[in-house]
Amino acid sequence: MNPRSGFCKSNSTFYSKRKPISLPPYHSLDVTTFISSHHHHNNDKIAFIDASTGRRLSFGDFWRAVESVSICLSDMGIRKGHVVFLLSPNSIFFPIVCLSVMSLGAIITTANPLNTSQEISKQIFDSKTALIFTIPQLLPKLPSPESINNVPIVLMTTDHSSSDHQTLEDMMKKEPNDQTIIVKNRVTQNDAATLLFSSGTTGVSKGVISTHGNLIALVMGMTGRFRTHEKDQIYIATVPMFHTYGLAAFAISLVAKGCTVVVLPKFDLDEMLSAIHNFKVTYLPLVPPILVGLANNADLIRKKYDLRSLRYVLCGGAPLSVGVMEEFKKKFSEVTILQGYALTESNGAGASTETLEESRRHGTAGLITPSTEAKIVDTETGEALSENKTGELWLRGPSIMKGYFENGEATARTLTSDGWLKTGDLCYIDDDGFLFVVDRLKELIKYKAYQVPPAELESLLLTHPEIIDAAVIPFPDDKVGQYPMAYLVRRSGSSLSDFAVIEFVAKQVAPYKRIRRVAFVTSIPKNPSGKILRKDLIKRATSSL
Ligand SMILES: CC(C)(COP(=O)(O)OP(=O)(O)OC[C@H]1O[C@@H](n2cnc3c(N)ncnc32)[C@H](O)[C@@H]1OP(=O)(O)O)[C@@H](O)C(=O)NCCC(=O)NCCSC(=O)/C=C/c1ccc(O)cc1
């Protein structure tokens, strides 16, 4: 093996240069037990602060709440393998629900509260949800109780008068006593723990099954990325916990490391900056659009807020342009930008920069994460390539998902029989082992770092009586990254307008999935087997920019 790049010639594999993690050897172990025993927590230390109300939960409060909620869930009949749906914006209660559910071997599934009723109902049906946690404001988005077999609903609210549903606050008050029995089936590291949705490399959104073992590996691999070894670090949760990035960071890893997290219910630039100022936040995980917002308004921000506490921002979720990074560095020279690259399917595995020195390497996503192997595979020949050559990135390691939920075909397309995850990203690894993401092979649009699968919008467009063919592509934009653009073939004689198309889609999808640009064409370019030639359309759309 070449110690400089990590590349091993004999099997064409890149090995991580980071210190390997040592995983717990016990087969019977759930992630909640692992996290609760991972550190000798100081019970009085603050685990979570609600930035809007100032409410604080100490680690003692937190673990008592997890135990109480687990008892209540067990009393309600929740068992290993049941799916529990959590539909909520960020809150200090989000991690409590996740860890309680997983402690029983039940599986947590999440969704973006911006999703439409239709999208939410589909997830509830597809995942065979056994129980729902949500907030009162989102109740109208749920399907009627009869249509979902009266699945029990628990409200995450302090207001008891709002309805006749049970509340999380009541569950959190449950005191264990001599008669308390938690029915807990044996949970192994190989059992499913989370079911998060991702578009994968192609097609519509799919449920990603991650195991307890995957999440345990995730916790072990996160130390360097979050610099949890540095004393008195205070983190702020503004990226959503319903996606892998926020969930892995705030509901799992940082709890395990005994760190303090300030939680914002929703992203708002001013509220985020006030919270950084008020709570002396040191570490801000974010996505590129937030970095753009900070860089563009730096002078105003500096006048209004004291951000001297802030030492690190971690940028992940979507590609960060070198230009934006430079602009940010100029304006906030005392803040170190760290980069993180990972997928829902990889549970934190991918690459990261962990120091200022590493971040100085222009455009890199960082070194391969600990105990993870990488291959760069030529997309034409299937040959595994060496340093500085571009191909599809494949990853293998203890945090790679088990597969897609009830979708053997997509699983077989994405995971090889010997455990490699095909990421759908075109990358190269340089002489020093740094990963560079060059382009995306997978059919995916990233709007504000939210995934939008083109196939989902294409099939929706084809339900319009005046549209006979459709292709959806990413259109580049400085502020949001990319937005969905549609190329459409109209039925002959139709005078359907772009505005009407935009409205038609907007009514049926979450705001981040909206079509924001339309072009009419006489035919959609396809290869002989009928696959849309997206690259041609992207070239065409961007040629006039
Ligand atoms: C903070 C963002 C960037 C911006 O927020 P925003 O500007 O308030 O926009 P929203 O996204 O909340 O709202 C979207 C739209 O919905 C609208 N909206 C708002 N609330 C409403 C309403 N109640 N009704 C109806 N319309 C509404 C809102 O106006 C807006 O419309 P538009 O202006 O047309 O875009 C937000 O989009 C955001 O959090 N994005 C992050 C997504 C994210 O977490 N992605 C990560 C995926 S996972 C991944 O890639 C893994 C990476 C990873 C990396 C490193 C690691 O170590 C590990 C993992």
Side-chain angles (χ1 to χ4, degrees):
M1 191 187 77
N2 177 343
R4 198 173 145 203
S5 65
F7 184 67
C8 175
K9 239 183 187 160
S10 65
N11 58 6
S12 300
T13 298
F14 288 89
Y15 289 90
S16 173
K17 290 169 65 180
R18 303 249 187 244
K19 191 168 168 262
I21 53 178
S22 57
L23 294 166
Y26 328 105
H27 184 55
S28 293
L29 183 61
D30 67 85
V31 65
T32 305
T33 305
F34 171 75
I35 291 176
S36 65
S37 59
H38 188 61
H39 251 238
H40 293 290
H41 296 298
N42 169 358
N43 269 347
D44 297 327
K45 185 171 175 184
I46 298 302
F48 290 102
I49 304 172
D50 181 329
S52 50
T53 64
R55 181 167 172 180
R56 285 156 195 256
L57 288 178
S58 68
F59 275 98
D61 299 333
F62 180 81
W63 287 112
R64 262 190 303 280
V66 170
E67 189 185 4
S68 299
V69 176
S70 303
I71 295 169
C72 295
L73 289 173
S74 160
D75 286 348
M76 293 168 87
I78 294 301
R79 300 286 178 270
K80 177 173 156 177
H82 284 160
V83 174
V84 175
F85 185 48
L86 171 51
L87 180 67
S88 167
N90 279 359
S91 91
I92 59 174
F93 305 113
F94 203 110
I96 294 175
V97 172
C98 294
L99 292 179
S100 309
V101 167
M102 294 191 292
S103 77
L104 299 173
I107 303 162
I108 195 93
T109 190
T110 57
N112 190 333
L114 287 178
N115 287 1
T116 62
S117 301
Q118 231 174 326
E119 290 163 336
I120 288 166
S121 300
K122 184 171 179 327
Q123 188 172 338
I124 291 172
F125 284 110
D126 289 353
S127 64
K128 304 179 187 75
T129 291
L131 185 122
I132 300 168
F133 281 91
T134 193
I135 58 168
Q137 297 85 324
L138 290 170
L139 276 175
K141 284 203 175 179
L142 296 180
S144 69
E146 311 81 59
S147 69
I148 47 172
N149 292 329
N150 293 304
V151 166
I153 296 171
V154 179
L155 291 181
M156 298 157 79
T157 177
T158 44
D159 177 9
H160 292 262
S161 61
S162 61
S163 86
D164 34 49
H165 296 294
Q166 190 162 0
T167 68
L168 180 70
E169 288 270 344
D170 284 342
M171 285 177 142
M172 284 168 52
K173 285 183 198 136
K174 174 98 180 171
E175 292 279 347
N177 58 35
D178 294 348
Q179 274 88 52
T180 303
I181 304 168
I182 300 192
V183 182
K184 196 171 161 179
N185 306 90
R186 196 171 76 99
V187 181
T188 74
Q189 290 205 46
N190 203 30
D191 289 322
T194 56
L195 180 63
L196 303 185
F197 280 74
S198 157
S199 70
T201 51
T202 172
V204 295
S205 187
K206 293 168 275 292
V208 171
I209 302 172
S210 297
T211 65
H212 290 266
N214 292 155
L215 301 185
I216 289 167
L218 163 96
V219 171
M220 307 289 292
M222 284 289 192
T223 313
R225 188 174 299 182
F226 285 100
R227 305 198 63 85
T228 52
H229 51 285
E230 286 180 12
K231 282 260 163 296
D232 303 324
Q233 202 88 271
I234 295 181
Y235 300 80
I236 185 158
T238 187
V239 295
M241 297 187 202
F242 47 78
H243 282 318
T244 185
Y245 184 10
L247 185 79
F250 308 117
I252 298 177
S253 305
L254 294 173
V255 184
K257 301 289 176 191
C259 300
T260 302
V261 178
V262 177
V263 181
L264 285 172
K266 183 183 180 315
F267 172 73
D268 176 282
L269 191 63
D270 278 304
E271 278 168 30
M272 182 186 85
L273 295 165
S274 301
I276 293 174
H277 171 142
N278 291 339
F279 298 102
K280 303 208 170 6
V281 168
T282 61
Y283 196 119
L284 162 65
L286 45 62
V287 287
I290 303 180
L291 206 69
V292 172
L294 289 172
N296 287 350
N297 302 296
D299 298 336
L300 252 169
I301 290 171
R302 286 206 167 282
K303 272 197 202 115
K304 213 164 153 196
Y305 302 99
D306 173 3
L307 302 179
R308 275 175 301 177
S309 59
L310 192 64
R311 300 204 296 267
Y312 298 101
V313 297
L314 168 67
C315 192
L320 175 65
S321 76
V322 172
V324 171
M325 185 155 154
E326 285 306 315
E327 196 56 28
F328 180 86
K329 275 201 225 163
K330 238 192 273 158
K331 301 276 172 62
F332 296 93
S333 55
E334 65 291 4
V335 180
T336 299
I337 302 190
L338 305 177
Q339 286 244 48
Y341 162 82
L343 298 85
T344 307
E345 288 83 346
S346 75
N347 289 295
S352 61
T353 61
E354 298 184 355
T355 61
L356 178 61
E357 205 46 47
E358 290 178 5
S359 292
R360 285 212 176 102
R361 197 166 291 245
H362 251 188
T364 185
L367 291 175
I368 302 297
T369 36
S371 299
T372 302
E373 299 165 88
K375 264 190 196 180
I376 300 290
V377 178
D378 188 301
T379 50
E380 302 282 314
T381 64
E383 183 199 351
L385 306 170
S386 60
E387 296 95 335
N388 301 312
K389 300 207 172 85
T390 300
E392 183 180 14
L393 173 71
W394 291 13
L395 293 169
R396 185 163 73 175
S399 55
I400 301 299
M401 68 159 178
K402 195 168 180 175
Y404 291 116
F405 180 67
E406 294 183 346
N407 195 339
E409 198 196 311
T411 305
R413 242 187 292 123
T414 313
L415 285 179
T416 67
S417 56
D418 52 351
W420 290 97
L421 170 76
K422 301 179 187 174
T423 64
D425 289 313
L426 269 184
C427 302
Y428 70 89
I429 296 175
D430 75 4
D431 290 323
D432 295 311
F434 283 87
L435 179 83
F436 291 78
V437 183
V438 177
D439 198 0
R440 201 177 288 150
L441 272 174
K442 59 188 164 207
E443 296 168 358
L444 174 67
I445 300 164
K446 280 235 162 169
Y447 175 84
K448 294 188 183 174
Y450 285 136
Q451 290 191 345
V452 184
E456 192 178 316
L457 292 173
E458 284 157 4
S459 49
L460 180 61
L461 286 163
L462 289 173
T463 63
H464 193 290
E466 291 179 59
I467 295 173
I468 55 173
D469 208 357
V472 174
I473 58 156
F475 192 86
D477 179 89
D478 286 346
K479 280 214 171 95
V480 303
Q482 299 172 325
Y483 57 75
M485 169 179 182
Y487 275 95
L488 302 173
V489 182
R490 278 178 290 206
R491 196 169 286 289
S492 79
S494 162
S495 56
L496 183 68
S497 69
D498 51 358
F499 179 73
V501 172
I502 288 169
E503 281 283 282
F504 172 76
V505 174
K507 278 198 208 118
Q508 302 182 70
V509 300
Y512 62 92
K513 291 186 193 161
R514 285 177 189 165
I515 299 278
R516 291 170 199 259
R517 196 181 178 101
V518 173
F520 295 105
V521 286
T522 49
S523 68
I524 302 287
K526 292 184 182 158
N527 73 6
S529 58
K531 212 168 161 350
I532 297 169
L533 295 171
R534 276 175 225 281
K535 290 273 177 231
D536 291 2
L537 287 173
I538 294 171
K539 227 186 248 160
R540 183 162 162 179
T542 53
S543 60
S544 56
L545 289 183

